[in-house]
Structures are given as structure tokens and as C-alpha cells.
Amino acid sequence: MTLVIGAAAPFPAARAQSVSEGQRLAFDRGKGNCLTCHEIKGGDLPGTIGPVLRDIKSKYPDRNDLVAILTDETRRNPQTVMPPFGRNRILTEQEINAIVDFLQTL
């Protein structure tokens, strides 16, 4: 993103769009599919395999930790059942970042 001095910063609108897209992906049963394992505020029919997703920004203040988890949690925890969304190309880097933007609002 280019920073333009003296102009209205586009970040808030872009971030809101990214958060919205991240929620759509997280709730999409054919894409992010987060609700299969996690309870997320606003989601229908959540699973209980993974932890409830709330207070995410306080639990993971460094967004790179969340990106790493979504990309390939097996690097941190080889015994995880969390799918390696990035490694297996289930989600693109842009989609992972959008989901992280959404998770940080929980």
C-alpha cells in the first residue's frame, strides 16, 4: 500500500472490506471452513474440536502468529488436526490475511 500524505488514508475502508471477506471465507463450508471445528460469534452449527475463537487479538497480538497457524500449523505442532491451508493451497496468502483480519476482530 502506498502512503499518500495529505489524502484520506484508504486503510480503514480496505480493512473493513478485508474483515468482511475474512468472515465470509471463515464461514464458507467449502473454503476456510473454520466453523467445522471452532465456535465463532455469528456462525451457525459450530464444531467443538478446536478452541472457541474469541479474544484473538489479545491471545495473538502478533498477526504473524495467526498467519503461520493458518498457513501450516504442523510446523508448530506436528500433532495438530488443523489443516495446513496455505501449504496445501486451500487458501491463498490474500485469503489467509483476510481471515486473520477477521479473527483479530473477535
Side-chain angles (χ1 to χ4, degrees):
M1 175 185 347
T2 303
L3 178 62
V4 179
I5 307 290
F11 183 70
R15 175 142 163 74
Q17 183 177 2
S18 183
V19 167
S20 178
E21 176 66 5
Q23 181 178 18
R24 184 191 69 74
L25 288 163
F27 290 177
D28 184 331
R29 297 286 181 175
K31 198 65 172 163
N33 206 15
C34 302
L35 287 169
T36 295
C37 298
H38 301 279
E39 180 182 324
I40 304 171
K41 183 179 178 183
D44 295 327
L45 303 171
T48 58
I49 294 169
V52 175
L53 299 182
R54 68 173 164 245
D55 301 321
I56 298 300
K57 196 158 187 168
S58 66
K59 292 175 186 172
Y60 298 97
D62 183 349
R63 72 175 281 113
N64 292 322
D65 291 337
L66 288 173
V67 169
I69 289 168
L70 288 169
T71 300
D72 186 1
E73 175 62 357
T74 64
R75 287 183 175 174
R76 268 186 0 155
N77 177 5
Q79 302 303 314
T80 188
V81 295
M82 177 88 170
F85 290 102
R87 187 187 79 203
N88 287 352
R89 297 186 179 128
I90 299 165
L91 296 170
T92 66
E93 185 177 332
Q94 183 177 354
E95 290 170 330
I96 288 171
N97 278 292
I99 292 172
V100 168
D101 286 342
F102 165 63
L103 292 175
Q104 289 189 315
T105 69
L106 300 177

